[in-house]
Amino acid sequence: MTTPNEFVDFLFASRTGALGRYDDRRLQWTLPDYTSPPLPDALAATPAAYRDDDAIEKMRLAAANGTCSNDPNLCQIAFVPDPTVWSADSMKLGVLFYGGALVDPRGYSVLADKLANEYGLPTMIAVFEADIPPSLCSADRLDLARERAAEVTPSVEKWIVAGHSYGGVAAAGTAWLGLVNSTTAADSVVTGLVLLASDVQPAVSCDPLGYEGMNFTSLPDFKVAAVVASNDMVLNMTRWQENAKYLSEDALKVEIEGGNHAQFGSYNNSERVAILGPRQKDGNTTITPLEQWTIVVDSIYEVAKRTGVALPERLTEAPTMAPTLAPHSAATVAGSSSWSLMLLTLFVVMITALRR
């Protein structure tokens, strides 16, 4: 596999320095034979058929060989809501998720499982060769997700594309292609975008008509959320703040107080600095993984509500869940598992400026 130049740039970009400044070592950098493995709770949340490493390796091989389209079960992990809990006919909205570069896709099963089972949103985690999206401008995985959904949740009509870190950059490209290939934003099969510790990069041109790069500012029918964490030392915050102007005007912006970069998923990042370099050194967390995951999933669901697409109908009474965070700040209150607090607290977060 050829290392995408965009990924090398993304990996070595300075977090706080001038935009476009890179470490000189990027010129000698080659893609290592490495991926961050999932932690036990991530494997527990993964469908049984995909818990074995060999199963994931077969999917990576299919992606490398270009045979993903031969079978919609290849190259993605499907999380399907329990039809005894959620009305299958009411599942109109799905989520396509791109994980971070060089992270085992099962490292995000904790998010996908919560989206499917707590919110009734069918979710597909894409699996790529070497766990890196080979292109930042491709709708192939959206087509594959739609094929798989047609088999297991045929009522799905629209999609939210979400991604973590470099996967978020690729997710933005997929969403943009869905928009430019449609007559209007309302007609697009993609109706929302969620960036987790990631940003829109306008220099990445995903427009087949050759216009300027991605810019979501003038699309009122398209809903966007950007979620960052206060202790994330991997995300280039200088670039994030500069590129926030390319989000839609009503974009939901959430800062997770006490969270970090790796805790957007559940994977072992202990070797990333030694293998990938000092830019991968993350900050320490002051909240639990469950608290951070809850805020992330709640934010994705908030975008789902804003799309105007009918939300899934629950057939059984939802279990009573105690809040997971003490309400000492707007951002952390948004992590409460109490659904009745979601709209108010996320609105507070939305109007709270990011001061980093």
Side-chain angles (χ1 to χ4, degrees), residues 6 135-139 169-170 172-183 200-216 218-219:
E6 297 93 342
S135 171
L136 297 180
C137 301
S138 173
V169 181
T174 296
W176 186 253
L177 284 177
L179 290 167
V180 299
N181 289 330
S182 303
T183 304
V200 173
Q201 298 192 22
V204 178
S205 180
C206 293
D207 193 329
L209 300 179
Y211 294 135
E212 294 294 326
M214 292 179 284
N215 188 333
F216 295 93
S218 61
L219 300 169

Side-chain angles (χ1 to χ4, degrees), residues 18-311:
L19 294 175
R21 189 181 75 188
Y22 303 106
D23 192 306
D24 289 340
R25 289 170 302 167
R26 68 184 291 273
L27 300 177
Q28 292 81 38
W29 193 86
T30 56
L31 184 69
D33 182 17
Y34 165 80
T35 190
S36 295
L39 292 173
D41 48 13
L43 285 178
T46 302
Y50 305 104
R51 291 176 188 167
D52 185 78
D53 290 346
D54 289 342
I56 300 300
E57 195 56 40
K58 289 178 181 178
M59 299 170 85
R60 294 184 182 118
L61 183 60
N65 292 336
T67 58
C68 293
S69 60
N70 293 353
D71 182 349
N73 288 298
L74 293 174
C75 305
Q76 61 187 339
I77 306 173
F79 293 78
V80 182
D82 186 343
T84 67
V85 177
W86 297 94
S87 168
D89 291 339
S90 70
M91 298 177 192
K92 304 296 184 184
L93 187 62
V95 178
L96 172 60
F97 193 94
Y98 294 165
L102 301 180
V103 177
D104 188 299
R106 295 169 296 181
Y108 300 94
S109 291
V110 288
L111 303 180
D113 181 66
K114 289 174 74 67
L115 286 168
N117 291 315
E118 294 184 16
Y119 288 118
L121 296 175
T123 302
M124 309 290 173
I125 298 180
V127 181
F128 299 103
E129 177 193 1
D131 296 337
I132 299 180
S135 171
L136 297 180
C137 301
S138 173
D140 291 351
R141 293 313 181 89
L142 178 61
D143 295 337
L144 198 65
R146 295 176 68 188
E147 287 184 39
R148 180 67 173 132
E151 295 181 349
V152 294
T153 53
S155 59
V156 171
E157 300 172 352
K158 299 280 189 175
W159 291 84
I160 292 171
V161 187
H164 175 227
S165 196
Y166 189 71
V169 181
T174 296
W176 186 253
L177 284 177
L179 290 167
V180 299
N181 289 330
S182 303
T183 304
T184 67
D187 294 330
S188 173
V189 70
V190 182
T191 191
L193 171 67
V194 180
L195 302 172
L196 307 177
S198 188
D199 58 339
V200 173
Q201 298 192 22
V204 178
S205 180
C206 293
D207 193 329
L209 300 179
Y211 294 135
E212 294 294 326
M214 292 179 284
N215 188 333
F216 295 93
T217 55
S218 61
L219 300 169
D221 293 325
F222 189 75
K223 304 306 176 184
V224 178
V227 186
V228 297
S230 65
N231 296 358
D232 184 344
M233 299 300 292
V234 178
L235 175 65
N236 183 336
M237 282 303 297
T238 301
R239 185 188 64 207
W240 189 95
Q241 291 167 342
E242 172 65 19
N243 290 345
K245 64 188 177 186
Y246 299 110
L247 300 174
S248 57
E249 294 181 359
D250 65 344
L252 174 68
K253 298 176 183 177
V254 179
E255 181 174 23
I256 304 175
E257 187 66 33
N260 72 357
H261 194 82
Q263 207 163 256
F264 277 95
S266 178
Y267 56 89
N268 185 341
N269 68 334
S270 61
E271 296 184 359
R272 291 184 75 86
V273 172
I275 295 175
L276 302 178
R279 280 287 300 107
Q280 290 291 304
K281 183 173 177 55
D282 205 356
N284 296 322
T285 61
T286 58
I287 61 174
T288 68
L290 179 58
E291 289 169 339
Q292 184 161 343
W293 302 334
T294 301
I295 297 172
V296 170
V297 172
D298 285 352
S299 299
I300 295 173
Y301 187 67
E302 178 64 19
V303 171
K305 291 194 294 185
R306 294 181 178 200
T307 64
V309 179
L311 297 175

